[in-house]
Amino acid sequence: MKKLPIIWSALALLLLFTGQSLASTPQIGRMRVAIWPEFDDPGALVIYDGRFIDDSSFPIETTFLVPKGAVISDACSLSPKGQHFCQLFTQRNAGDMDEVLLKLPYPNFYLSFHIKPFKGDNPLRRFNYVIKTSHPVSKLEVDIQRPLRAENFTINPETHEKEELKGFEHYRYLIKDGEAGMVIPFDISYRKDDSRPSVSIKYSPMKGAKTWGETDYAKINDVARELACPCECPLVLEDCNMSCGLDWKDQIGEMLRAGKTKDEIIKAFIAKYGNECKITPIMRIQGKFFQYTRRFDTMDWALLWGGVAVSAGSLFLGIYMVVRRFLKKRTTAGVDG
């Protein structure tokens, strides 16, 4: 019988350490996985980028799971100014996949690599790509791009979310509240009669306007702070350095170089993206902590001034009650005297 307390104590300690281990697993808020077959080489380009939720835990050392034999192009952490800080990494065998171990000084991460899923010159292309998460993910977005000149392009599972962007067809998927170790397979097939990639320049996040000079950076962010981040993170566009935010900043930079003014760029974004660009009090209540910049809807104004009125009324009532109680005490003291 004396052994029971020892056993229960051991179980309690085991549960405690297990709970601490689970609690210490960094959680990703938003993560995008881009799978682009035959984009810049005869294989496939894959990009993992996103942002961890808890800023206070950084810098950290963490891992990501990639297909066996993947050739890493970039393993980066993104600074608040949008600069890519490429990190040293270790790629090692982890069973049916490879594990990429790297240190991240900032919560934004960017990992790009190439795989070779095709063998020979068969025009019928088919491969299975498996995403395996190494962290809990609140919002996982998958973007599969159809190669140029590809026919009979199919993906299993199918999706109805399809978009044309910069001359490419993109197929979108969204998975919410995913756990660490979640496995998501995609079976991709198509016919392509040549082995030429869609673009002739090797892809790298350091090409283009992803990292700007101080002058360009200041001009771009002067516009960016007037726009809402296009994803669901609680950031102004100025502070968003995930793929969506960087793409919008690139567009701003291109418009500035074309001679457009700040107002013209903002109007162009609103015309193109609609209410996704518009900052409102409702969005602030829902977690977007950014500035008020443009006109509000009637409901937004009603909520704003309603809140001001309630606050002012509560303050007045509080002062009135305090003054009334004070005067009542003085009157009572005078009568007693």
Side-chain angles (χ1 to χ4, degrees), residues 51-212:
R51 179 183 176 88
F52 287 91
I53 291 175
D54 185 10
D55 294 15
S56 63
S57 63
F58 285 80
I60 65 169
E61 188 173 64
T62 190
T63 60
F64 295 92
L65 294 171
V66 301
K68 291 185 73 65
V71 179
I72 308 297
S73 305
D74 297 287
C76 307
S77 190
L78 279 68
S79 76
K81 287 190 173 183
Q83 295 170 309
H84 288 70
F85 287 87
C86 295
Q87 304 296 306
L88 296 176
F89 62 90
T90 301
Q91 186 171 349
R92 60 196 182 193
N93 183 282
D96 57 345
M97 303 193 81
D98 281 356
E99 189 176 58
V100 180
L101 174 68
L102 72 161
K103 292 183 179 179
L104 295 174
Y106 303 103
N108 285 66
F109 62 87
Y110 185 100
L111 182 69
S112 68
F113 53 90
H114 288 81
I115 59 174
K116 296 181 178 180
F118 309 120
K119 295 180 180 180
D121 297 326
N122 190 340
L124 298 177
R125 317 273 211 264
R126 182 172 184 175
F127 70 103
N128 185 264
Y129 189 88
V130 177
I131 300 171
K132 187 173 182 180
T133 57
S134 53
H135 304 80
V137 184
S138 299
K139 182 180 178 182
L140 176 64
E141 301 172 4
V142 181
D143 168 27
I144 300 176
Q145 178 177 274
R146 176 177 179 170
L148 298 182
R149 303 179 303 281
E151 300 176 352
N152 301 323
F153 189 79
T154 60
I155 307 171
N156 187 23
E158 295 183 3
T159 178
H160 298 294
E161 295 296 326
K162 179 180 171 183
E163 179 184 10
E164 186 165 337
L165 185 65
K166 297 180 180 179
F168 288 91
E169 287 182 0
H170 291 260
Y171 298 80
R172 315 284 193 186
Y173 299 81
L174 176 62
I175 300 98
K176 293 186 177 180
D177 301 323
E179 299 178 352
M182 178 174 57
V183 176
I184 310 166
F186 291 94
D187 190 62
I188 303 168
S189 62
Y190 57 92
R191 179 186 178 91
K192 188 164 171 284
D193 293 326
D194 63 74
S195 57
R196 290 182 292 116
S198 297
V199 298
S200 59
I201 300 175
K202 196 72 173 178
Y203 183 85
S204 170
M206 304 307 292
K207 292 181 174 65
K210 296 295 184 188
T211 303
W212 311 282

Side-chain angles (χ1 to χ4, degrees), residues 30-45:
R30 173 190 176 269
M31 178 175 176
R32 183 187 71 133
V33 175
I35 307 168
W36 295 353
E38 298 188 69
F39 177 68
D40 60 347
D41 79 352
L45 168 67

Side-chain angles (χ1 to χ4, degrees), residues 25 55 78 99 101 136 170 206 226 247 254 270 305 329:
T25 302
D55 294 15
L78 279 68
E99 189 176 58
L101 174 68
H170 291 260
M206 304 307 292
E226 301 281 338
D247 180 61
E254 290 171 5
I270 293 173
W305 289 113
K329 283 184 178 179

